[in-house]
Amino acid sequence: MDSQMVMEGGNNALVSVSSSGGDESDVVKELMEVIESVGLYSGYRKTQRKECLSLVRRLKLLVPFLEELRELGTSVSGEALNCLDNLRKALVLAMKLLKHCNYGSKIYLALESEAVMSRFLGVYDKLHQALDGMPYDELGISVEVKEQVELMRMQLKRAKKRTDTIDMELAMDMMVVFSNMNDTNADRAILERLAIKLELRTVTDLNQETLAVQKLVKKRGGHNAENIQQVVDLLGKIKQISGLEETTALDGPVKSKILQRCQSSLVPHEFLCPITLEIMTDPVIVSTGQTYERESIQKWLDSNHRTCPKTGQILLHLSLAPNVALKNLIRQWCEKNNIELPKKDPYIGPDGSSTELIKEISFLVENLSSCQLDVQREAVLKIRMLSKESPDNRILIANCGGIPPLVQLLYHPNSKVQEHTVTALLNLSIDEANKRLIAREGAVPAIIQILQNGTDEARENSAAALFSLCTLDDNKVLVGTLNGIPPLVELLQHGTVRGKKDAATALFNLSLNQANKSRAIQAGIIPPLLQVIEDKNLGMIDEALSILLLLASHPEGQNEIGKLSFVETLVEIIRHGTPKNKECATSVLLELGLNNSSLVLAALQYGVYEHLVEIARNGTNRAQRKANSLLNHMSKCEHLP
């Protein structure tokens, strides 16, 4: 049998894939090997993990069928062999897709999640077709095994009809980052949230993603260049907030060197912490025998990890033993090579934090309740600054009891104190645990009040804080029921440029909740969104269209949005907008047109057809799919009586 050998990256599973067919035993063997191979994958990207695991489970339902075929060794006709070969081809497609979702760029897979979902549906279709005409009786398959395969076939049929939506919060976060907004607290919050959602939090994660992106750039070349550039840019931003591109100025004698990350290749590998890839100054040993920098492993443990970062083994205990021998070797090597070790704070607490910093934060938290305005104002300003600096500071402030007095200060009569307080809470809300604590302490009504009556900066940061808090579903409901949507709509209509952007992101997040869609429509959100779209200087067309797309799925939204004047605006964007503008406008027009054929006919009168044909050929991947769907729908509408 003519075959080629395919080695799966990162696995030892060798899969023989026939290129010219073969007898039944050869095909069955290949089918078994493919299923065994995909069972070894374990690193599916978060955005496709559920779909991948579901597909693998379905593929494993074929194992009894294949085992029975192998044991029976029945001589089969050409038709049966053809069915088995079609099944082999479908399984190879499934294997390639699962490999892509296991080793591909996390950012690219999130950006192209709809395209990847289309590939899953294609695999389901191929598998369903291959099993549809399987001659079980001729193959001698038992009734029990046949029923199991038929169960899988029915599951595939249901999966083909399923229309799961993408993670809209993730999509909006990525859109906001790609829109090149000004460098604000909210931007950093979004980047940190993206890093968590995409599982790009550790140095190892980011190094692996860098390799995946490099392979992607090399493989894709100039194809889909806009999306590839977005992936590269976003990876750079996430690495930047993770500190991987920091440089340290030289100081001390000219001959002395300060170790930087870029110099890690000069240092013996065993001297580098596996987490940070920096030379260790205080190496400690965990229960698996691996050595790490104390501060790095302590942060890992404080984040509720109970495994060894390097080996993945479960830690039997959390004690850290100093590696004195290695510390002496590092010191001797540095002296020999005239390298100065980075200086550490001599006062380190049990959680790796400076005791001086803990004292400072505790003192500031105490001053938040002072009777003197100047003392309160200085304390909240410093906490605002500290909460902006690092994730560790945000955790420390919460651990020192800073959130309850900050929530109380939201009601302070002094506008500047209110402004600093709501901004500090915005910064603190970047931490997931803090989100729940802030809402539980009753901050939301006060934030809404500042959103209505505060200074421009306080209103902007109140909107950003609501956006951050509302990444939790419970908080979406809370803000909606507390009447927080009308002041956001007012800010969208009359706020500063930054205020409009913060309001838009908050309203998008809130509109993911079905009840909030109705609240937003009743609050009059549609006219301000149309104004935002028409104001080209704002650069918020994509954001506004994304909100309209959510509202267009609601009956009230369809009635409000579906005006012929707006259809003309959509056609203009499809004609003259950026590739992303065209993608969003096409999506909105498709959603509206599926519910109201007259809007489709109106779009045709405005000359949309030729532009949709162009998008279907040369648009972004998602735009091409939406344009083709809209063109198909238009062809049906034209034949209506």
Side-chain angles (χ1 to χ4, degrees), residues 14-34:
L14 202 59
V15 181
S16 175
V17 181
S18 171
S19 59
S20 59
D23 60 29
E24 179 204 346
S25 61
D26 289 330
V27 176
V28 171
K29 180 182 177 183
E30 290 174 9
L31 292 172
M32 294 286 285
E33 287 176 338
V34 170

Side-chain angles (χ1 to χ4, degrees), residues 43-49 99-112 170 174 178 194-218 227-240 242 244 277:
Y44 295 121
R45 300 333 189 193
K46 191 174 181 180
T47 43
Q48 284 80 30
R49 188 172 296 152
K99 177 183 177 183
H100 181 49
C101 294
N102 194 79
Y103 298 108
S105 160
K106 295 177 179 179
I107 298 174
Y108 185 76
L109 285 167
L111 186 64
E112 291 292 310
L170 177 63
M174 296 182 80
F178 293 145
L194 278 174
I196 292 170
K197 285 187 175 183
L198 297 176
E199 298 179 336
L200 294 173
R201 290 175 286 181
T202 68
V203 173
T204 302
D205 291 337
L206 289 165
N207 286 340
Q208 290 175 349
E209 178 69 8
T210 300
L211 291 174
V213 170
Q214 288 172 349
K215 290 179 182 177
L216 178 68
V217 172
K218 185 176 180 181
N227 281 11
I228 301 300
Q229 188 58 52
Q230 287 181 326
V231 171
V232 173
D233 291 344
L234 179 53
L235 176 58
K237 288 183 178 181
I238 292 176
K239 290 171 81 172
Q240 188 175 13
S242 301
L244 292 187
L277 300 183

